[in-house]
Amino acid sequence: MDFKNVDMGKLALQLRKPEGDVGTEVGAAMAQFNMGAIAFTIECLDIQPTDHILEIGFGPGEAIAEVVRLTPNGYVAGIDHSPVMLEMAAHRNHKAMMQEHVELTLGDARALPYEDESFDKVFAVNVFQFWPDPTTELAECHRVLKSGGRIAFFLTHPTSWLPGIRETGVFTAREADDVKKNLANAGFTNIEIRETKTEPDGKGFVVMGEK
Ligand SMILES: C[S@@+](CC[C@H](N)C(=O)[O-])C[C@H]1O[C@@H](n2cnc3c(N)ncnc32)[C@H](O)[C@@H]1O
């Protein structure tokens, strides 16, 4: 899919929640577009082989596959509110799901279906922009993280967004310092910003914190 020659309003809604055949195409494009962002976020997470990890908004499931590879003695959970993305990610991670190394769930970040203190790491790549007021989502992330656990959000910087996408109003534009404040308000500590410039994604940053 050529992201530059489509209706930006429709594309923005598809990026927020991929649906139908177009959603499958958008998912395939995401897998390419977010590759560098995923690699950078995973690097920041310092994943250990026994970690229990949650990804929010897994999309087509590329990051899940990489995290599975890095946690041979761990466990990986993923949640996404798009049935189309669940289907794509389940196809991509079929073997690991059969081995009960991974569990993918249809659901919303505002109500995470996990016990308190379940995960060593929680992360999301280009999902935070869809949370205009992230208070509930961050409270949920804080609840499911173990004490000492790490959270990481990657956001493509608004200056690297596709032309016209900002005007759709579907995405909330934030600087790294805004996200840092959001994390601090939610009770996270040792908050750190790491900036990157990865092609083809353009400029982006990870904001990390600890519980
Ligand atoms: C732009 S895509 C990014 C997908 C993937 N993280 C990647 O890097 O390719 C955003 C994803 O987050 C999911 N999503 C957005 N808001 C969500 C929410 N509140 N709860 C669960 N999933 C959400 C969408 O369905 C979509 O799959």
Side-chain angles (χ1 to χ4, degrees):
M1 170 178 268
D2 179 1
F3 275 174
K4 296 207 169 79
N5 293 318
V6 293
D7 178 316
M8 278 300 150
K10 288 187 184 152
L11 176 61
L13 293 173
Q14 283 287 347
L15 290 168
R16 182 169 70 187
K17 186 174 184 181
E19 287 180 317
D21 292 342
V22 177
T24 308
E25 274 187 65
V26 168
M30 266 182 219
Q32 295 299 314
F33 189 79
N34 284 327
M35 246 163 33
I38 288 170
F40 185 67
T41 310
I42 287 176
E43 194 184 308
C44 292
L45 281 169
D46 185 28
I47 291 175
Q48 302 301 309
T50 54
D51 274 349
H52 286 213
I53 301 189
L54 169 65
E55 182 183 13
I56 300 175
F58 51 68
E62 297 303 308
I64 294 277
E66 182 58 11
V67 173
V68 164
R69 197 182 65 75
L70 295 169
T71 55
N73 305 312
Y75 169 75
V76 183
I79 188 161
D80 198 295
H81 63 183
S82 160
V84 174
M85 290 302 96
L86 177 61
E87 199 181 321
M88 276 185 97
H91 182 72
R92 173 84 176 80
N93 294 283
H94 177 74
K95 193 171 158 207
M97 286 175 80
M98 290 295 104
Q99 293 166 340
E100 297 184 356
H101 189 162
V102 174
E103 189 174 4
L104 300 180
T105 303
L106 188 66
D108 198 287
R110 294 173 66 84
L112 296 175
Y114 310 107
E115 301 284 324
D116 296 357
E117 310 235 332
S118 298
F119 300 102
D120 301 288
K121 316 267 162 72
V122 173
F123 75 101
V125 176
N126 278 332
V127 181
F128 202 92
Q129 296 93 324
F130 300 113
W131 303 341
D133 173 359
T135 309
T136 306
E137 291 86 347
L138 287 176
E140 278 294 86
C141 291
H142 195 273
R143 180 182 67 74
V144 302
L145 255 189
K146 293 179 189 173
S147 183
R150 185 178 292 197
I151 191 153
F153 292 106
F154 181 95
L155 288 83
T156 297
H157 193 272
T159 52
S160 290
W161 287 0
L162 293 165
I165 207 106
R166 188 178 192 136
E167 290 69 27
T168 66
V170 174
F171 291 67
T172 302
R174 288 189 176 92
E175 297 291 334
D177 277 338
D178 301 324
V179 180
K180 188 175 176 179
K181 279 184 203 136
N182 292 144
L183 261 59
N185 289 339
F188 293 99
T189 55
N190 295 330
I191 302 166
E192 215 187 296
I193 294 169
R194 291 199 195 162
E195 302 205 352
T196 182
K197 181 172 177 0
T198 47
E199 298 298 340
D201 323 45
K203 193 175 152 197
F205 54 84
V206 163
V207 184
M208 282 190 296
E210 276 176 29
K211 176 173 174 179

